[in-house]
Amino acid sequence: MSKNNNNNNNKSVLRLKDYRVRSSDSLSKVVLLHNLKDDSGKFNPCKGGNRHTWFRRNVKSVAFMFVLTAFMFLLDSVMVSVFGSINFHGSSSTRNSDGREEDSVAHKERPTVEMYGRLLNLASSALVAEEFKQESLNFWEEPYQEASKWTPCADKRYPTSLGKPGENNGYIMVSANGGLNQQRVAICNAVAVASLLNATLVLPKFLYSNVWKDPSQFSDIYQEDYFMRMLKDDVHIVQELPLHLKSLDIEAIGSLITDADIVKEAKPIDYIRTVLPLLMKNKVVHFLGFGNRLGFDPFPPELQRLRCKCDFHALKFVPKIQEVGSLLIKRIRKFKYHAAERQLDKQLLGDFTPSISSKENYVERGSSRYLALHLRFEEDMVAYSQCDFGGGEHEKKELEAYREVHFPLLIERLKNSKPVSPAELRQLGKCPLTPEEAALVLAALGFKRGTYIYLAGSRIYGGSSRMRPFTNLYPNLVTKETLLTYNELAPFRNFSSQVFSDLDNRFTNFFGYIFVTCKKNLPWVQLAALDFIACATSDVFAMTDSGSQLSSLVSGFRTYYGDGHAPTLRPNKKRLAAIFSENSTIGWTTFEDRVRKMIEEGQRVRVRGSGRSIYRQPRCPECMCRS
């Protein structure tokens, strides 16, 4: 039996290796055995015919030993079941890029899905051939020098700046919904609306969602004092409503404004016509939700500048996020840093920005480059798209069942509309890129097999079987969960639902492996900030869906602070679908050329177009200055 226990312990340690935790059961057993020794130090419970006397004296120790032994067997069984069910992302529930948890069908290990087997073979051969060659095309750098001519200047004061209004028409409250990125946009839109309506902004609140299960508020994510100080010359901001307004029933007096009351991408005139009269009458309005309820054009230039100042300057992560974010970057880069401090790093990491002592040290150690990839292939997105991803009849039925449960409005709309085939959807560029397609794009761009890749977001639909074509080409794939330990993520634990909050610190490592089973107790909005940091500070950022809020905000941040040295790769899904449609005949050289041209065109330096998001494309006179 001892041999079996030792085997179990060895297996446990092996299973826990990637999570950097160790079981302390061996230590516990030593303590127990020590308690059962007699004065001579030998195990002799029956010595001298006093076995009954010995048993009475040690009955508590014996009972405790049996209880602990039973507990260890139970713990080992739990560990086996937990880690036996872990696939690529270690959980049976899915989360999207904002950390959202989805009730999903159990993801059992399934056969590897390959839609482009021929191209995968060609890519594998090409990567082997290129391994020891010098890179001919360098997508690690911005291809156009024009990008470096645009510099940040949204925080500068100009004679035309609006300044803080002399009159105060009332107070604006905002309760923003969504995840980290939706909340960030809502905050800066609220700042602009407060300035537009000559109102005082109450520090925005974040709605608690049963989807994200995160009670985090503004001060848990952003530095309150810094935010208010940065915008003090532009808009009045207070932490709470004054006492005489707190007692009002906002809904009863008609000052509650939901997303149903304001059109999507509303114009400033809409707020002046509908919101301002309410504000002046009741002295307070409350925007509930406030999701994407302010357009970009036409819009007063100074208010556009204020939005940029809010997003790129006023919103700084709290020190605990900066500290763990800095540790994450160190782990990704293997503790090798840039020769010079970058604006990107300083803005996101503050005082925790990694640095080196000298340039000589930098030359000696080098800089470990990495590519950050935001791979949008979560179950909700895959199901909503109605596309075919090569998983056969089982996958088709699984996604249909998911749609019926999670997207009833989509089902109703489909009943009353002309059906569009999965093939047509793919040709129109409506289908999310699979991990397989993403890997083929990177291979076509010349990224070598050893490229270090940080995967942002969360679990990929299909788990490890769907990721296998990717990891076969690019094995150096990491996430925040694989790089950070339980203790290092401890500051993000949900204070309102701590499973192990009462445990003594000495038991942390012992119970640490159970962390993967209770990750839902973590504040996922705060954890999404780590993905934001890792993507924004990467040497190259690649996205698979340009409509994603995270991808949009990260690419905007890199444009604003990148100084022309923060390339972003944006595939055109429609053009890419046309290329992949020739999978059975296209040669690898032709495939490379067409993919590279597509990406290069997406990297052209363009001034923000009318109606485009200023958070995603800040390269315009309202946000940046051209030297």
Side-chain angles (χ1 to χ4, degrees):
M1 178 169 177
S2 175
K3 185 177 180 180
N4 291 336
N5 283 341
N6 289 334
N7 289 337
N8 286 337
N9 290 335
N10 291 336
K11 292 177 181 177
S12 299
V13 170
L14 288 174
R15 284 192 294 268
L16 301 181
K17 185 176 180 182
D18 291 340
Y19 290 87
R20 303 182 180 89
V21 295
R22 297 290 185 270
S23 171
S24 62
D25 56 339
S26 299
L27 178 61
S28 301
K29 290 177 181 176
V30 170
V31 173
L32 281 174
L33 293 175
H34 177 75
N35 289 336
L36 292 179
K37 290 182 180 180
D38 62 10
D39 293 338
S40 65
K42 298 180 181 179
F43 298 106
N44 194 11
C46 301
K47 184 178 179 180
N50 294 325
R51 68 183 70 183
H52 297 294
T53 303
W54 177 91
F55 184 81
R56 283 195 300 272
R57 277 203 320 265
N58 296 281
V59 64
K60 290 184 179 181
S61 296
V62 172
F64 181 64
M65 181 187 70
F66 280 110
V67 170
L68 186 60
T69 302
F71 176 72
M72 293 303 302
F73 275 109
L74 176 62
L75 209 53
D76 190 66
S77 299
V78 171
M79 186 171 62
V80 170
S81 63
V82 168
F83 283 89
S85 64
I86 290 176
N87 59 16
F88 182 72
H89 280 79
S91 173
S92 62
S93 60
T94 60
R95 291 185 182 274
N96 69 10
S97 58
D98 289 304
R100 184 167 46 140
E101 184 175 15
E102 297 288 352
D103 298 324
S104 63
V105 179
H107 288 269
K108 299 178 181 178
E109 186 66 20
R110 55 184 83 181
T112 300
V113 178
E114 289 185 359
M115 299 175 66
Y116 310 101
R118 177 178 170 274
L119 275 178
L120 284 174
N121 290 332
L122 293 175
S124 181
S125 299
L127 289 178
V128 171
E130 294 292 326
E131 188 65 29
F132 301 103
K133 292 182 180 179
Q134 189 174 2
E135 290 173 325
S136 55
L137 287 178
N138 191 3
F139 283 93
W140 290 102
E141 296 290 340
E142 289 269 15
Y144 301 101
Q145 293 184 354
E146 177 71 15
S148 62
K149 296 180 179 180
W150 289 85
T151 58
C153 62
D155 59 331
K156 293 182 179 179
R157 298 288 296 173
Y158 293 90
T160 57
S161 297
L162 295 175
K164 189 181 293 185
E167 297 181 5
N168 184 12
N169 291 325
Y171 292 82
I172 289 178
M173 301 171 63
V174 173
S175 295
N177 60 13
L180 174 80
N181 305 295
Q182 290 83 0
Q183 292 167 355
R184 191 180 184 100
V185 170
I187 292 168
C188 295
N189 284 348
V191 168
V193 169
S195 179
L196 173 70
L197 302 181
N198 287 348
T200 295
L201 176 66
V202 180
L203 207 64
K205 303 288 185 183
F206 301 149
L207 293 173
Y208 179 84
S209 168
N210 287 327
V211 176
W212 280 272
K213 301 182 186 301
D214 187 343
S216 301
Q217 289 300 321
F218 192 101
S219 61
D220 297 313
I221 302 170
Y222 302 110
Q223 299 178 33
E224 273 188 16
D225 292 341
Y226 184 87
F227 175 77
M228 297 172 71
R229 187 169 65 251
M230 195 69 192
L231 299 174
K232 65 182 177 62
D233 294 328
D234 304 287
V235 62
H236 290 282
I237 303 176
V238 295
Q239 291 183 321
E240 295 180 344
L241 276 177
L243 289 174
H244 70 281
L245 293 176
K246 277 187 176 181
S247 59
L248 292 177
D249 187 331
I250 303 294
E251 186 174 6
I253 64 176
S255 284
L256 183 66
I257 302 173
T258 68
D259 283 356
D261 301 317
I262 303 178
V263 298
K264 194 175 181 180
E265 302 283 349
K267 296 178 174 59
I269 191 64
D270 297 321
Y271 284 89
I272 292 172
R273 288 174 178 170
T274 60
V275 178
L276 184 58
L278 272 177
L279 180 66
M280 298 186 72
K281 176 185 175 183
N282 298 326
K283 294 302 176 183
V284 60
V285 293
H286 184 183
F287 291 103
L288 188 64
F290 206 55
N292 201 23
R293 285 303 181 270
L294 185 63
F296 293 98
D297 293 294
F299 210 79
E302 287 307 314
L303 289 183
Q304 292 282 42
R305 183 183 300 277
L306 185 56
R307 285 166 121 176
C308 287
K309 183 177 181 179
C310 170
D311 184 37
F312 300 117
H313 294 276
L315 289 176
K316 279 200 173 185
F317 293 125
V318 293
K320 74 171 183 179
I321 291 178
Q322 292 179 335
E323 183 176 13
V324 179
S326 178
L327 178 61
L328 178 62
I329 300 305
K330 289 176 184 177
R331 292 268 168 80
I332 298 173
R333 293 193 183 282
K334 303 176 183 178
F335 292 88
K336 300 175 184 177
Y337 319 122
H338 284 276
E341 186 177 273
R342 301 186 306 169
Q343 287 190 81
L344 261 175
D345 299 331
K346 187 63 179 175
Q347 181 63 23
L348 288 168
L349 301 174
D351 294 337
F352 298 96
T353 303
S355 60
I356 54 178
S357 58
S358 67
K359 188 171 182 180
E360 288 74 21
N361 188 39
Y362 168 81
V363 173
E364 179 183 342
R365 298 177 65 183
S367 178
S368 181
R369 300 184 299 184
Y370 76 97
L371 178 148
L373 173 65
H374 188 211
L375 183 56
R376 292 300 312 276
F377 201 71
E378 299 92 351
E379 187 166 14
D380 57 347
M381 188 171 187
V382 171
Y384 194 88
S385 71
Q386 307 164 64
C387 297
D388 178 23
F389 298 98
E393 194 64 26
H394 172 77
E395 181 177 275
K396 181 180 178 182
K397 290 180 178 179
E398 184 176 86
L399 295 177
E400 284 178 352
Y402 189 94
R403 279 193 292 271
E404 290 176 0
V405 173
H406 296 273
F407 304 122
L409 294 180
L410 173 64
I411 299 298
E412 287 300 315
R413 190 167 74 245
L414 292 175
K415 291 178 181 177
N416 302 316
S417 60
K418 181 182 177 181
V420 181
S421 71
E424 290 177 297
L425 289 171
R426 188 168 293 280
Q427 289 173 359
L428 293 170
K430 301 294 185 182
C431 298
L433 293 189
T434 65
E436 178 184 7
E437 290 170 328
L440 287 169
V441 169
L442 294 180
L445 296 178
F447 288 100
K448 294 190 175 182
R449 176 180 169 80
T451 301
Y452 215 58
I453 299 176
Y454 177 86
L455 182 65
S458 59
R459 184 175 161 181
I460 303 302
Y461 172 68
S464 58
S465 60
R466 180 64 77 166
M467 283 298 300
R468 199 164 290 120
F470 189 104
T471 53
N472 284 344
L473 292 182
Y474 293 101
N476 293 333
L477 188 69
V478 295
T479 67
K480 58 183 177 292
E481 289 83 5
T482 60
L483 290 173
L484 298 173
T485 67
Y486 169 77
N487 286 335
E488 289 160 355
L489 286 172
F492 298 92
R493 285 181 291 177
N494 184 342
F495 54 84
S496 65
S497 58
Q498 270 307 299
V499 176
F500 302 120
S501 59
D502 296 328
L503 291 176
D504 190 275
N505 288 335
R506 65 179 177 273
F507 291 119
T508 299
N509 286 335
F510 180 71
F511 290 103
Y513 70 87
I514 302 180
F515 172 62
V516 296
T517 69
C518 60
K519 281 198 286 187
K520 65 182 179 181
N521 293 318
L522 291 169
W524 288 99
V525 173
Q526 294 183 48
L527 287 177
L530 298 181
D531 276 339
F532 189 100
I533 290 171
C535 289
T537 60
S538 63
D539 296 278
V540 178
F541 174 58
M543 64 180 78
T544 60
D545 178 28
S546 59
S548 159
Q549 196 75 275
L550 172 66
S551 294
S552 294
L553 292 180
V554 166
S555 62
F557 222 84
R558 291 170 65 81
T559 296
Y560 192 79
Y561 283 114
D563 195 29
H565 299 290
T568 297
L569 312 180
R570 302 180 183 87
N572 182 312
K573 289 192 290 185
K574 187 174 181 179
R575 289 183 60 180
L576 199 54
I579 298 172
F580 279 125
S581 68
E582 301 176 27
N583 165 55
S584 59
T585 57
I586 193 170
W588 183 250
T589 302
T590 303
F591 180 78
E592 283 181 324
D593 290 341
R594 292 175 65 179
V595 169
R596 289 173 179 177
K597 286 178 182 178
M598 174 194 67
I599 294 296
E600 285 171 348
E601 288 184 17
Q603 289 184 306
R604 293 187 183 279
V605 178
R606 296 182 177 91
V607 176
R608 184 184 74 92
S610 179
R612 298 290 184 177
S613 169
I614 206 158
Y615 306 119
R616 177 183 175 181
Q617 299 180 2
R619 203 176 276 127
C620 60
E622 295 88 351
C623 275
M624 302 182 73
C625 298
R626 187 178 183 280
S627 59

